[in-house]
Structures are given as C-alpha cells and as structure tokens.
Amino acid sequence: MSAKVWLIGAGPGDPELLTLKAVRALGEAEVVLIDDLVNPAVLEHCPQARVIGVGKRGGCRSTPQEFIHRLMLRYARQGKCVARLKGGDPCIFGRGSEEADWLAAHGVASEIVNGITAGLAGATACGIPLTLRGLARGVTLVTAHTQDDSSPDWAALARSGTTLVVYMGVAKLAEIQEGLLTGGMATSTPVAMIENASLPWQRECRSILGNMPQDADTFQLRSPAILVIGQVVAAAEQRDAPLALTA
Ligand code: SAH
C-alpha cells in the first residue's frame, strides 16, 4: 500500500512563516522533495528525512515536472511518507493541484498544506495593506508569465479597482506598464517591486507606473520578485513602521 504524499507550501522564505501543519507533516516525512525557491532552513523540521533537491537546477535528463512526479510515486509506492516542499502556497502559481491530480490518477493519496504566498508576505513585509478600505475593493493575484506565452488582459485589470499583485513579472515590466496605461491606469499609480520578500536580503524598489521599467532597471531588480500596483502602496509610505517585523 502506498503512503500519502504531503504537498506543502513552505511560504515565501522566512522560516517562521511556515504553518504548524507544515511542521507536523515535515516531522512525519521520510523523504522530502524540495524546490529551488524554498528556504532550506525549513529542513530543521525534518532531520530524520532523506532530502532531495528537485528545483530547475536538479540536473535530471527528463523534464523537471516528470522527474518530480516519478520520484513522488516511487517513494510513495515504497510505503514511504513523502513531503513535497513548494515555495509560497502550493496552489498559487505552484501546480499543487496538478500534482495532487496526477498522484490520484496513479492511486496515491495526497494532502495540500497551505503556505503563505509571496505576494501577501511581500506586501506585509513592506507595510502595504493590500485591501485597505476606501483605496482598493479587492486584490488580484496575477502572473505575467504563462505556458502558452499569452498575456493577461492588463487593460481590464487596470479597470478592476483592485490592487494588483503580479508574479513572474520582472522580465515583462514594459508590457505590463503599457497594458495598464492603455486600460486607463494613471502614470502616477504607486508601485512597489519586492525582491526576495520576507528574507533578510529582501529589497524593495518604490516607483510609479509611469517609471516602473526604468526604476527597476536602475535598481537592478532580479527574480524572484513581486510587483504590487495600486493606491494602497502609497498608504505604506505614510506609515512609520511596517505592519510586520521582518527577520
Ligand atoms: N507558489 C509560489 C509562487 C511560485 S511562482 C507562491 O505562492 O508564492 C514564482 C514566482 O513567485 C516568482 O517569479 C516571484 O514572482 C514570486 N516569488 C516567490 N517567492 C518570492 C519571494 N520570496 N519574493 C518575491 N517574489 C517571490
């Protein structure tokens, strides 16, 4: 009989942002598959486990996703408790449900454990209240990078009245800017670009929509980074202390 696979969100980087459930699952794990973007510091919760790095730099011949699927299956079928650690939340641009479905199709049960997604953690670490009353009627998590290379409808998003939190946007700043301006978003709309959110080496670049690509260039913004676009970013500038303590 195969054992269960835990698909665990490891949060954005700060190991203290791990949930208690994630810590419990890690404590049960015999094999841990860890993604590139996961802070290895969280491995302190599974000293008993065999740890296998399965990030893009995994160095395997097959595609990383196939390789990961097969590893999970192999160990689960050996009856070993497998924990798959993914950055942020497994189901926010993280293929968590695809992996769960694939495992189910192969007769293996899995359970997804939420993690704190980078967009939420980055905003809080920079003092940005994403849905501040009167300034935003919601928040949209959106990726700039899709498998089929299509773009989100930036113009529609500009009109949504929600704070935009953009994942995987570093290489597409000019395109995002153009789409949002076309949708009528003001050039003066405040923007925060947050690199390595929640980690001690987190960096934050403040800008406005009209200067976003140039400012990111000067700042030498690098992935992983999220963009927060909307009036709520200015609310943080008026605050003395951040909403949360950073490590
Ligand atoms: N499942 C993850 C997202 C994976 S997609 C989550 O919920 O956070 C990878 C993208 O997430 C990166 O390109 C970047 O946009 C964002 N990201 C992940 N970790 C980050 C971090 N510590 N700081 C800023 N952005 C991060």
Side-chain angles (χ1 to χ4, degrees):
M1 215 185 70
S2 59
K4 178 161 110 180
V5 174
W6 291 95
L7 299 168
I8 303 174
D14 178 354
E16 286 191 305
L17 290 177
L18 215 54
T19 65
L20 293 175
K21 191 160 187 172
V23 169
R24 178 168 69 80
L26 280 172
E28 287 175 15
E30 294 168 277
V31 179
V32 172
L33 308 183
I34 181 168
D35 260 8
D36 273 346
L37 275 179
V38 174
N39 186 346
V42 303
L43 296 174
E44 74 166 280
H45 300 294
C46 54
Q48 77 289 350
R50 171 166 180 207
V51 177
I52 303 172
V54 292
K56 289 184 196 110
R57 288 161 265 164
C60 51
R61 245 181 280 154
S62 52
T63 68
Q65 199 58 33
E66 269 172 33
F67 172 69
I68 294 163
H69 281 164
R70 293 195 185 290
L71 273 181
M72 289 193 292
L73 194 60
R74 184 201 304 167
Y75 288 112
R77 282 186 174 160
Q78 286 172 9
K80 293 209 163 74
C81 178
V82 180
R84 163 102 169 91
L85 273 172
K86 301 169 79 76
D89 185 90
C91 291
I92 301 294
F93 311 125
R95 299 185 183 200
S97 67
E98 289 168 48
E99 293 184 6
D101 289 348
W102 191 88
L103 287 167
H106 290 78
V108 175
S110 64
E111 183 170 342
I112 295 177
V113 180
N114 280 126
I116 296 185
T117 190
L120 302 190
T124 300
C126 293
I128 302 168
L130 287 172
T131 63
L132 187 64
R133 273 189 299 164
L135 287 186
R137 60 175 77 225
V139 57
T140 304
L141 308 184
V142 59
T143 177
H145 176 87
T146 50
Q147 222 163 17
D148 61 0
D149 218 26
S150 64
S151 294
D153 187 345
W154 295 112
L157 289 169
R159 291 187 285 266
S160 68
T162 67
T163 304
L164 303 182
V165 176
V166 185
Y167 290 66
M168 292 173 268
V170 175
K172 307 230 166 165
L173 294 172
E175 182 192 312
I176 297 166
Q177 179 195 45
E178 192 194 332
L180 293 175
L181 290 174
T182 304
M185 195 179 266
T187 52
S188 60
T189 306
V191 173
M193 296 175 265
I194 307 159
E195 186 185 284
N196 287 309
S198 85
L199 287 158
W201 49 93
Q202 166 179 306
R203 295 199 308 149
E204 183 193 6
C205 175
R206 287 291 169 103
S207 180
I208 55 170
L209 184 59
N211 301 338
M212 185 171 75
Q214 298 81 347
D215 284 348
D217 203 36
T218 308
F219 187 81
Q220 299 198 309
L221 184 76
R222 298 280 176 268
S223 187
I226 50 138
L227 321 174
V228 183
I229 305 171
Q231 294 304 327
V232 296
V233 173
E237 275 158 15
Q238 288 150 20
R239 195 188 310 269
D240 288 341
L243 286 178
L245 293 172
T246 46

